[in-house]
Amino acid sequence: MSKINRVPGYMQSKGNRNRGPIGDREIRYKCSMQNTILDVLRARPGWQEVSGTTGASSSGGTTSAKTSDGDWDFYWCDREWLHANYDTMFLQEHQKILHFRNHYELTRKNLMVKNLKRLRKQTEREMGKKEAESFDFFPTTYELPSEYHIFVEEFKKNPGIIWIMKPAAKSQGRGIFLFRKLKDITDWKKGEYQPLTDPNREVPETYVVQRYIEDPYLIGGRKFDIRVYVLVVSYNPLKVWLYRSGFARFSNSRFSLDSIEDAYVHLTNVAVQKTAPDYDPDKGCKWATQQLRQYLTAKHSADAARKVFQGIDNIIIKSLQSVQKIIINDKHCFEMYGYDVLLDANLKPWLIEINASPSLTASGKDDYDLKYGVLNDVLNVLDLENRLTGKEKRVGGFDLIWDDGPVLADDGSMECSVNGTSTTANSFLGCHCERKKQLREIYTAAQALKKTAVS
């Protein structure tokens, strides 16, 4: 009797339990969040919520409903649920689910740097040091506790500089602190890592320690970083969409290196800033990315602003390439990342972190409108309704910047053009975005093309 090979659940089909292609029927969805994404799904024409699958907290909690019964087409799940259930799921041909199985290879701070370092070394070995310099967009970083002694050697070589400590797997600024003296981390290390005789003690939490960027670019004396939305629909081949709109998150207090313990000065996370005593929720601490691009253009030149955003493009593509061969690619999966990028005083962009679950809870009307548009266009790109041709380079606010190689812009499509000419890359971060008008145009064109094909 021949041996039967066990096939992972996500690669199997349940045959008679398949509801079949979506066609003209309603699209059934599940959602484990109670925030903007649920509003988007409920308002989408022809989409029907599978009963009893929501009710999670705004931060995301697992649902109790079964999702292996094939009775859904789209599932916006949380990471914890995916980790617990992915390997035993039976996904049908038409089903889509948020997150790739091992998305953490890019979104855990320690693994992100590890993968970037590996690709940089490979690039230097195969293409030379000059090409490897294109990876010079993340600060000197070490993982603790595994690289503690290596870090100490580096620390002693650069006395007086500031370092920043971050938990590898936490978000919203939790557990982050700055330090100048090795004594500060020695005291911390004793508290976090001191081995105890208790065999039930958990393994110490992994941290990263990074060289702090001491000369950030300031606007109004305040530090900020830039949130960029990136949609990956495939890793093999790599296919990447970049959203035109995003925002710059400002600190609530003026920047200074005199008070490195003040989180309101150094951390731009909204979760941190909104707890400041003088925080104004109506005013907030955000600029639209379009406003930031206009500011940089007016103050420095259109060319300088363009180089900033080209640098961000480079960060996005290089970081995704660093995990392209590691991520478990699955045609059912997609990922919407939230990239956080910081500019230094020389307008050089630095990658701070990449979020697998960027916050979808709005801090105000403008923030809600932005996130509502982003999420709606994620669904438009995924196109479960089969309304597109599949050849589009722009869908709403998303521009296709990589499709197994760089994507070139069509002539005349550059809304951030300089003297009437456009660059070649199909990337328009911070450019004008008439997403509703654009969507009407591409749907009309796609419908006409399909009618022509049929006739």
Side-chain angles (χ1 to χ4, degrees):
M1 185 175 180
S2 61
K3 182 179 179 181
I4 299 176
N5 294 323
R6 176 66 175 167
V7 180
Y10 63 88
M11 296 177 64
Q12 300 181 29
S13 171
K14 284 222 168 180
N16 60 355
R17 298 180 70 174
N18 190 348
R19 300 182 72 245
I22 295 173
D24 295 329
R25 66 172 173 81
E26 80 284 354
I27 297 173
R28 296 169 63 86
Y29 68 86
K30 293 188 175 186
C31 183
S32 63
M33 304 287 183
Q34 285 266 358
N35 51 36
T36 313
I37 179 58
L38 191 56
D39 293 346
V40 171
L41 289 167
R42 286 176 171 171
R44 198 161 177 91
W47 285 54
Q48 179 65 45
E49 185 175 356
V50 177
S51 61
T53 61
T54 56
S57 65
S58 60
S59 59
T62 57
T63 63
S64 59
K66 294 181 180 179
T67 56
S68 59
D69 58 7
D71 199 27
W72 54 272
D73 306 303
F74 180 88
Y75 189 16
W76 192 283
C77 68
D78 57 68
R79 294 168 296 173
E80 292 75 19
W81 189 95
L82 188 83
H83 294 163
N85 295 278
Y86 179 87
D87 290 331
T88 60
M89 285 191 299
F90 295 85
L91 293 177
Q92 310 297 345
E93 180 72 19
H94 60 279
Q95 290 178 307
K96 288 287 185 181
I97 191 167
L98 177 66
H99 301 308
F100 289 88
R101 173 64 181 86
N102 57 338
H103 62 82
Y104 49 79
E105 288 285 351
L106 186 63
T107 56
R108 280 181 63 102
K109 300 176 184 69
N110 57 327
L111 297 180
M112 178 190 79
V113 172
K114 174 185 176 182
N115 288 315
L116 282 169
K117 286 181 177 179
R118 187 189 64 254
L119 185 57
R120 181 172 62 185
K121 287 181 180 178
Q122 178 185 336
T123 301
E124 182 174 347
R125 185 171 60 251
E126 297 177 356
M127 306 180 70
K129 291 185 177 181
K130 186 67 176 177
E131 185 65 27
E133 290 177 0
S134 63
F135 287 86
D136 185 24
F137 54 73
F138 58 97
T140 301
T141 306
Y142 299 96
E143 179 184 307
L144 302 183
S146 61
E147 297 179 330
Y148 178 76
H149 296 293
I150 302 175
F151 160 68
V152 171
E153 291 180 10
E154 181 69 20
F155 181 92
K156 292 178 179 178
K157 291 178 184 177
N158 299 276
I161 69 170
I162 300 174
W163 295 82
I164 184 169
M165 289 281 290
K166 304 176 181 179
K170 289 183 179 178
S171 59
Q172 298 184 328
R174 291 173 294 181
I176 298 178
F177 65 92
L178 280 64
F179 66 96
R180 277 196 178 99
K181 300 177 181 179
L182 196 58
K183 175 182 178 299
D184 297 332
I185 193 175
T186 302
D187 293 342
W188 167 86
K189 179 172 178 287
K190 289 179 180 178
E192 292 289 325
Y193 294 150
Q194 190 66 38
L196 299 180
T197 54
D198 182 3
N200 296 320
R201 177 178 171 121
E202 295 182 0
V203 176
E205 182 177 3
T206 301
Y207 272 69
V208 294
V209 58
Q210 291 182 328
R211 184 163 180 168
Y212 185 64
I213 299 173
E214 300 183 23
D215 61 338
Y217 185 87
L218 306 178
I219 295 179
R222 289 170 171 79
K223 177 182 175 180
F224 67 93
D225 68 1
I226 309 167
R227 167 58 57 87
V228 181
Y229 293 106
V230 177
L231 174 64
V232 177
V233 296
S234 170
Y235 268 98
N236 184 25
L238 184 61
K239 191 167 185 178
V240 186
W241 296 80
L242 173 63
Y243 203 70
R244 295 191 177 198
S245 301
F247 51 84
R249 304 180 298 185
F250 287 82
S251 63
N252 196 60
S253 304
R254 295 179 68 86
F255 183 78
S256 171
L257 293 177
D258 296 334
S259 52
I260 63 172
E261 71 285 348
D262 191 341
Y264 300 131
V265 172
H266 300 283
L267 303 184
T268 58
N269 309 74
V270 175
V272 172
Q273 294 299 327
K274 69 181 183 181
T275 64
D278 56 345
Y279 178 76
D280 184 350
D282 294 326
K283 183 179 179 182
C285 296
K286 291 182 179 180
W287 267 14
T289 313
Q290 285 85 347
Q291 187 177 358
L292 175 63
R293 185 158 190 157
Q294 291 170 359
Y295 176 90
L296 295 175
T297 298
K299 186 164 185 178
H300 299 282
S301 76
D303 186 57
R306 186 167 61 252
K307 287 180 179 178
V308 167
F309 289 93
Q310 287 175 343
I312 295 176
D313 290 347
N314 177 65
I315 288 174
I316 293 168
I317 298 304
K318 290 290 195 301
S319 61
L320 293 172
Q321 288 176 331
S322 75
V323 297
Q324 186 177 2
K325 296 181 179 179
I326 299 174
I327 295 291
I328 300 171
N329 191 62
D330 186 336
K331 65 181 180 180
H332 302 97
C333 302
F334 67 96
E335 201 80 53
M336 189 190 78
Y337 295 109
Y339 275 68
D340 292 338
V341 178
L342 176 75
L343 303 184
D344 67 17
N346 296 316
L347 291 180
K348 175 181 177 177
W350 294 85
L351 175 61
I352 303 303
E353 66 180 30
I354 303 171
N355 300 274
S357 297
S359 173
L360 302 180
T361 301
S363 58
K365 183 183 182 304
D366 290 342
D367 196 43
Y368 181 84
D369 291 343
L370 167 65
K371 291 174 178 175
Y372 195 97
V374 172
L375 295 167
N376 229 328
D377 286 342
V378 166
L379 303 182
N380 291 332
V381 171
L382 295 177
D383 192 30
L384 271 70
E385 300 95 334
N386 192 28
R387 299 170 63 191
L388 300 175
T389 65
K391 302 295 184 181
E392 290 81 5
K393 290 184 179 181
R394 180 184 172 193
V395 177
F398 275 110
D399 296 294
L400 183 63
I401 64 170
W402 195 270
D403 188 5
D404 203 22
V407 178
L408 302 182
D410 297 326
D411 292 340
S413 67
M414 181 77 171
E415 274 118 332
C416 285
S417 60
V418 181
N419 297 325
T421 60
S422 68
T423 58
T424 56
N426 191 52
S427 175
F428 309 99
L429 181 60
C431 295
H432 180 63
C433 179
E434 290 189 15
R435 55 175 299 276
K436 292 183 178 180
K437 176 183 177 182
Q438 195 275 339
L439 285 170
R440 286 195 298 269
E441 291 174 351
I442 64 166
Y443 284 136
T444 300
Q447 185 178 23
L449 188 61
K450 288 183 177 183
K451 286 183 177 179
T452 302
V454 171
S455 60

